Amino acid sequence: MRPRKPHPVALSAALAAIGPLAGSAGTPYLPVVTGLTLDSRSVLPGDVYAAVPGATRHGADFAGQAVRAGAVAILTDEAGAAIVARAAAAADAAMPPVVVVPDPRRAAGPLAGVIFDSQPEGPGAAPTLFGITGTNGKTTSTYFLTALLAALDRTTGLIGTIEIRAGADAIPSALTTPESPQVHSLLALMRERGLDAASMEVSSHALEYGRVDGVRFDVAGFTNLTQDHLDLHGTMEDYFAVKATLFTADRCRRAVVLVDDDWGRRLAATADVPVLSLRTEPDAGAQPAADWTVTAVRPSGLGHAFTLEGRAGERLQVRTGLPGTFNVSNAALATVMVLASGVAVGELQHALDDHDPFTTEVPGRMQLIGEEPAAIVDFAHNPDALRRTLASVRRPGGRVIAVFGATGQRDESKRPVMGAVGARLSDILIVTDDDPHDEDEAVIRRAVRAGADAAIREEGLACEVLEVFPRAEAIERAVALARPSDTVLVAGRGHEVWQEVKGVNLSLDDREELRSALTRHGFSVLSRPGIES
């Protein structure tokens, strides 16, 4: 998705604007350009093609394809330039200017920002940009932000795991945060369409791989930090360090940080931008008072109502219709981030009262499919998220029947931990397959089940553990075992509609499988929402 009207700029001027990242142009002629992409298949006439090294191939291998599609310059490193030169010599063909930089991926974001003119200086020049990072809660919090901003009559955009929206247009999202040139082109498109605000999920992968390079957020938010993605980061300390890079002056203007855990308290104390601290859990320990605190949490329908109290005595009455006390935290974060952007308390309270924005449905996040039994699909795919979700779904007099597995080729250490969490908080645990990717499904299931069996044996738990696969059969078994008073939770994949098995994408939507199983067993299902991923 790009602006309809490009912003032509001399590549020499764009390179000069981003400074030392660009290195030396190394060519006497640089053309006027109108776009930039890392994907040779998405090149448009007038583009710079950024050829970056990949896991198995260098992007320079596809420079010829990019040039045939209209690329007028190539941005790459020394290795890529050598590949381009050899290919041109072999084909006896002329190539467009090749700009050599030390790290083309890191240069691509700032350069795309200049080429697309995505965030020009000056008030009102671009949408107010909100970014949320953390292990859990990013997607729901961005949906809550979008709903609250809409309640304030702002036209909004969204960039996240489930979808990308630029006003009314929506497209499925392949990455939590797209590659940096796409982010900048989307921001430029939103500005062209006159959007007032945009919300973006910012994953640790996005920060590690430069996908938000050159982007500056008006308000950045932090949810929490729990075990996940250690296959990429190695340790929790390194994971935190990557997340903390969002809260620097070159990436954001101000921040809102949940201080319910030690990581959040540490971030609030060390960020080099103005921070509003937010405390949402009463058992967060004896800590100094936060700038905003959640109090008086009470049930309200399937969700909760609560009070947000400011350090200076301000009060906001807030409600979320989504189950789970963690959605109190998500709603509180969205509220304080909007306050941090400059919206007055009174205006915000009117929007909360008149529109109930935090009852918006988030696809695959605590999504209620049926009520008797309560049938829920959630994205919980790490130990902390699974624990919070399971703890929130038990109903008086009913059992919890949980269906989940673990993802292949990801952090293996969390598999037995997730199994143990499931055994502690479920009455019946059905271990099945998630996305095995190229791993042996049986090996993954065995690790999850080992954790469950060990917890049952060592802690004297009464949970019954079953191993059922494929996943659709596991969902069927869960519903077959359910009584109207029970809760069936299908966790791990959420909104996803494909299951990757040994390089093949198999059609699988947990929501559809759960709806079908409920119907086959004579249970009612809720009407489908108007918009789903």
Side-chain angles (χ1 to χ4, degrees):
M1 300 178 73
R2 296 197 189 191
R4 295 184 68 176
K5 295 180 180 179
H7 174 75
V9 60
L11 182 54
S12 56
L15 288 166
I18 69 171
L21 274 177
S24 174
T27 177
Y29 163 71
L30 291 175
V32 171
V33 297
T34 54
L36 185 149
T37 181
L38 296 175
D39 188 342
S40 61
R41 297 164 297 183
S42 65
V43 168
L44 296 179
D47 275 359
V48 176
Y49 171 53
V52 304
T56 58
R57 301 282 297 276
H58 198 294
D61 292 333
F62 307 98
Q65 177 182 336
V67 171
R68 288 190 293 273
V72 296
I74 297 169
L75 178 77
T76 191
D77 55 12
E78 292 282 359
I83 293 171
V84 172
R86 285 195 298 271
D92 193 22
M95 294 295 283
V98 177
V99 177
V100 178
V101 297
D103 188 341
R105 181 178 290 278
R106 287 293 179 183
L111 186 59
V114 176
I115 292 171
F116 288 113
D117 195 26
S118 57
Q119 291 185 300
E121 293 295 329
T128 301
L129 186 59
F130 299 86
I132 296 181
T133 198
T135 305
N136 301 315
K138 295 187 297 295
T139 299
T140 300
S141 295
T142 54
Y143 269 76
F144 280 177
L145 263 172
T146 301
L148 180 55
L149 291 163
L152 290 161
D153 293 325
R154 275 48 166 190
T155 54
T156 62
L158 175 69
I159 302 175
T161 303
I162 297 174
E163 62 185 352
I164 296 170
R165 286 187 172 274
D169 293 337
I171 60 173
S173 180
L175 298 170
T176 299
T177 311
E179 293 287 2
S180 57
Q182 188 181 8
V183 170
H184 285 284
S185 67
L186 284 165
L187 293 176
L189 175 65
M190 292 176 188
R191 186 167 68 86
E192 181 181 73
R193 292 183 177 180
L195 271 61
D196 301 309
S199 304
M200 185 188 305
E201 294 182 51
V202 185
S203 66
S204 60
H205 287 69
L207 294 162
E208 181 79 13
Y209 295 137
R211 293 178 192 156
V212 290
D213 283 2
V215 175
R216 194 170 188 217
F217 295 89
D218 292 285
V219 185
F222 176 83
T223 59
N224 49 60
L225 199 75
T226 62
Q227 183 180 346
D228 207 356
H229 305 307
L230 297 189
D231 52 310
L232 171 64
H233 302 296
T235 67
M236 289 296 294
E237 190 66 34
D238 289 340
Y239 185 23
F240 172 78
V242 170
K243 291 288 192 184
T245 62
L246 179 60
F247 300 87
T248 54
D250 61 336
R251 290 195 186 272
C252 74
R253 291 180 171 85
R254 61 193 69 85
V256 179
V257 175
L258 263 74
V259 292
D260 294 333
D261 63 25
D262 289 337
W263 298 110
R265 291 187 282 273
R266 179 173 161 190
L267 180 62
T270 58
D272 64 358
V273 296
V275 173
L276 286 176
S277 57
L278 169 63
R279 182 169 173 173
T280 72
E281 295 185 359
D283 59 350
Q287 301 295 330
D291 294 304
W292 287 90
T293 304
V294 167
T295 63
V297 179
R298 62 260 185 209
S300 177
L302 292 173
H304 295 84
F306 60 95
T307 302
L308 258 178
E309 295 187 8
R311 191 189 292 270
E314 312 97 322
R315 285 177 175 245
L316 282 162
Q317 301 303 321
V318 189
R319 176 184 179 275
T320 173
L322 272 63
T325 54
F326 49 84
N327 278 316
V328 169
S329 299
N330 295 332
L333 178 62
T335 303
V336 179
M337 288 182 70
V338 171
L339 284 170
S341 73
V343 175
V345 170
E347 181 184 4
L348 193 53
Q349 187 66 70
H350 283 303
L352 293 167
D353 293 342
D354 293 346
H355 297 280
D356 196 22
F358 302 142
T359 301
T360 186
E361 184 173 81
V362 184
R365 270 63 175 177
M366 293 301 284
Q367 186 169 346
L368 194 64
I369 307 299
E371 293 182 309
E372 291 185 346
I376 298 170
V377 171
D378 190 64
F379 192 55
H381 62 284
N382 58 57
D384 184 67
L386 187 63
R387 177 184 62 79
R388 290 170 177 261
T389 298
L390 282 168
S392 72
V393 300
R394 183 175 295 278
R395 299 192 296 173
R399 302 173 300 168
V400 172
I401 304 172
V403 179
F404 67 86
T407 309
Q409 295 180 293
R410 299 294 186 271
D411 180 8
E412 297 180 14
S413 67
K414 70 182 182 182
R415 296 172 185 174
V417 180
M418 291 176 65
V421 168
R424 293 184 188 111
L425 296 172
S426 308
D427 298 284
I428 301 174
L429 168 57
I430 301 178
V431 178
T432 190
D433 300 327
D434 194 291
D435 282 309
H437 300 298
D438 290 330
E439 270 199 78
D440 185 333
E441 302 97 309
V443 171
I444 301 171
R445 293 194 303 269
R446 191 179 306 130
V448 175
R449 182 159 190 172
D453 290 341
I456 290 170
R457 182 175 60 253
E458 295 166 9
E459 301 171 30
L461 305 174
C463 178
E464 178 184 1
V465 180
L466 306 174
E467 185 175 339
V468 181
F469 55 94
R471 191 175 178 93
E473 290 188 16
I475 294 171
E476 173 76 21
R477 178 75 67 86
V479 174
L481 293 170
R483 306 163 187 158
S485 60
D486 292 340
T487 298
V488 175
L489 173 69
V490 182
R493 302 185 69 252
H495 66 285
E496 295 173 355
V497 297
W498 302 99
Q499 183 184 44
E500 186 183 341
V501 181
K502 294 179 173 59
V504 178
N505 282 334
L506 306 177
S507 178
L508 181 66
D509 185 331
D510 287 354
R511 298 163 296 181
E512 290 301 322
E513 296 297 337
L514 190 50
R515 287 186 184 110
S516 298
L518 289 166
T519 300
R520 281 193 297 272
H521 288 275
F523 298 121
S524 62
V525 298
L526 298 176
S527 59
R528 300 188 187 198
I531 298 176
E532 275 194 14
S533 62

